[in-house]
Amino acid sequence: QPRAVEHLLRLGGLTVNLDEHRVTADGREITLTYKEFELLYFLMNNKSIVMTREQLLEKVWGYDYEGESRTVDVHVKTLRRKLELAGCPECIFTVRGAGYKFGE
């Protein structure tokens, strides 16, 4: 049976393969947790759009935001670190008072 067309998202040297659940930066694989992968895919799929913590919690974690939660901040921090080590510095930006976005 032939495989279905791969679902690829490419921005610069960064590639997310949804079918294989793989992320590469300039051909080098980046090991991500499930939530880091989902967060990266969602942000890349909405490039340059500022996403609030509440939106990210709802879309990536699948629940409504209630109370104070630093889950998104912790995941963004570790994801940034992994992307920087792979040669993709400053891919995820903090928009002060609003949220996060992928891209310039």
Side-chain angles (χ1 to χ4, degrees):
Q1 291 273 355
R3 284 184 53 179
V5 176
E6 293 178 335
H7 294 95
L8 297 177
L9 184 56
R10 289 188 180 113
L11 293 172
L14 198 61
T15 302
V16 174
N17 184 319
L18 192 58
D19 292 337
E20 295 180 3
H21 211 269
R22 290 182 60 209
V23 176
T24 56
D26 295 323
R28 295 184 312 179
E29 189 163 355
I30 304 172
T31 303
L32 300 179
T33 66
Y34 180 78
K35 285 299 178 190
E36 289 168 349
F37 180 89
E38 294 293 316
L39 178 61
L40 177 61
Y41 181 77
F42 184 75
L43 287 171
M44 284 179 71
N45 209 31
N46 293 284
K47 183 179 185 261
S48 300
I49 299 172
V50 178
M51 296 292 166
T52 65
R53 286 181 186 90
E54 293 85 359
Q55 288 172 312
L56 292 170
L57 280 169
E58 181 182 332
K59 300 296 183 184
V60 176
W61 278 263
Y63 54 84
D64 292 330
Y65 178 77
E66 291 183 23
E68 184 64 30
S69 174
R70 303 314 280 179
T71 299
V72 172
D73 301 327
V74 171
H75 279 79
V76 166
K77 182 179 177 180
T78 58
L79 181 55
R80 276 184 178 148
R81 187 177 315 126
K82 289 178 180 183
L83 292 174
E84 287 172 10
L85 291 173
C88 187
E90 300 182 20
C91 290
I92 300 173
F93 293 89
T94 300
V95 179
R96 192 175 181 136
Y100 299 101
K101 70 177 182 173
F102 188 94
E104 51 277 328

